[in-house]
DNA sequence: TTAAAAAAAGATATAAAAGTCTTTTTATCT
DNA sequence: AGATAAAAAGACTTTTATATCTTTTTTTAA
């Protein structure tokens, strides 16, 4: 479903959501060590998210990455689409160029129903909301 | 969700389900031309399926690939798992090494529901049943 | 019994994804 | 101002997935 890049990005953003604030930044190394993810690779992803205003950063000593209030209130879907592109939720599960309700592939209906469920979740819930659930319920990131 | 290989394999098997029988074989070229898929690559996939008794083949002139009665009555799931491995339906959507109902990742519940529905479908319906639907409803492969 | 047709097998090539390294820029603190 | 810490940017490498090519084996039919 998601590329490795996207998985790393989602996890990093959720981690940042409960670890950072505009005056509480965190470096790539801390994130990559905690999530057990390749550091320089994660850096690229965070930079891409930063360019797209889904993550914030400050350079220099005491700088680092963090989520602004605005960043927290974005639906998680934006993070996914920033890394994997908008097609993740709409592309045909069998890779057919045209596959829709009018012209469905054999697995279309099932794939649609269930992908729609995921989409509803990451599309409606914000980063902050999902992160809140993570800390309340002690989920792993 | 599925690799390209797996998508090609599913489509090829469903195509064969309504095009072939033990005495009505079809060559790789016809399949790859019809599905618009790279021929030699598809050949490898079909050979892998053949080794795992999910597709049948006969060499020589008038030979080719086909589905035996047994092949048709396998759940489509077997084809998927033969190509992408059994993890496709169970691996964590965020790639966490351990993710279960007891120790879920933030997207676990939604992802589980999503995948379970698909799994039910390809796990319960046989190749023949899905193929029947394809020809009855005129779906695209 | 030889030629041809088809799959099987194996080697090789290409492309895409994942990961690393180096240099540059920006900010902070002494 | 100078040293340092961090992200930003870009080049590069490695790995994995996808795709192709070549040779071998099997079968059929003339």
């Amino acid at each position: 479903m998601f590329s490795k890049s996207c998985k790393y990005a989602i996890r990093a953003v959720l981690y940042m959501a409960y670890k950072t604030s505009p005056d509480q930044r965190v470096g790539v190394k801390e994130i990559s060590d905690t999530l057990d993810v390749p550091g320089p690779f994660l850096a690229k992803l965070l930079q891409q998210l930063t360019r797209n205003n889904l993550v914030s950063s400050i350079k220099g000593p005491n700088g680092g990455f963090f989520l602004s209030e605005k960043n927290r209130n974005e639906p998680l879907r934006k993070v996914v689409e920033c890394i994997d592109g908008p097609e993740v939720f709409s592309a045909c599960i069998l890779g057919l160029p045209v596959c829709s309700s009018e012209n469905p592939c054999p697995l279309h209906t099932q794939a649609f129903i269930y992908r729609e469920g995921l989409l509803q979740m990451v599309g409606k819930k914000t980063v902050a909301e999902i992160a809140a659930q993570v800390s309340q319920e002690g989920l792993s990131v």
Side-chain angles (χ1 to χ4, degrees), chain A:
Chain A
M1 176 89 229
F2 302 137
S3 68
K4 262 190 178 183
S5 296
C6 190
K7 293 170 185 174
Y8 294 164
I10 294 173
R11 294 171 62 202
V13 166
L14 292 178
Y15 175 76
M16 286 194 286
Y18 65 86
K19 272 287 183 174
T20 73
S21 65
D23 51 349
Q24 187 73 19
R25 277 91 75 172
V26 70
V28 180
K29 185 153 174 37
E30 178 182 330
I31 308 180
S32 66
D33 282 355
T34 314
L35 304 185
D36 194 22
V37 145
F41 189 65
L42 180 61
K44 303 303 277 291
L45 298 172
L46 291 176
Q47 282 154 26
Q48 188 176 341
L49 292 170
T50 301
R51 279 195 298 276
N52 287 273
N53 303 308
L54 296 169
V55 159
S56 307
S57 71
I58 290 184
K59 288 185 181 180
N62 298 319
F65 291 96
F66 65 97
L67 295 194
S68 68
E69 215 38 53
K70 187 158 167 295
N71 294 154
R72 304 175 169 278
N73 293 323
E74 298 284 6
L76 187 61
R77 173 181 188 173
K78 285 214 178 173
V79 171
V80 173
E81 293 187 340
C82 177
I83 303 294
D84 275 355
E87 303 278 284
V88 232
F89 293 110
S90 55
C92 171
I93 195 171
L94 291 188
L96 300 183
V98 39
C99 171
S100 60
S101 320
E102 288 77 45
N103 194 11
C105 80
L107 304 186
H108 182 78
T109 307
Q110 286 301 318
F112 182 81
I113 292 177
Y114 292 105
R115 218 158 33 178
E116 204 59 16
L118 254 188
L119 181 56
Q120 286 294 315
M121 184 204 176
V122 302
K124 282 193 178 152
K125 289 202 187 179
T126 65
V127 167
E129 285 166 350
I130 299 181
Q133 209 181 327
V134 170
S135 43
Q136 276 165 34
E137 305 175 12
L139 309 183
S140 354
V141 182

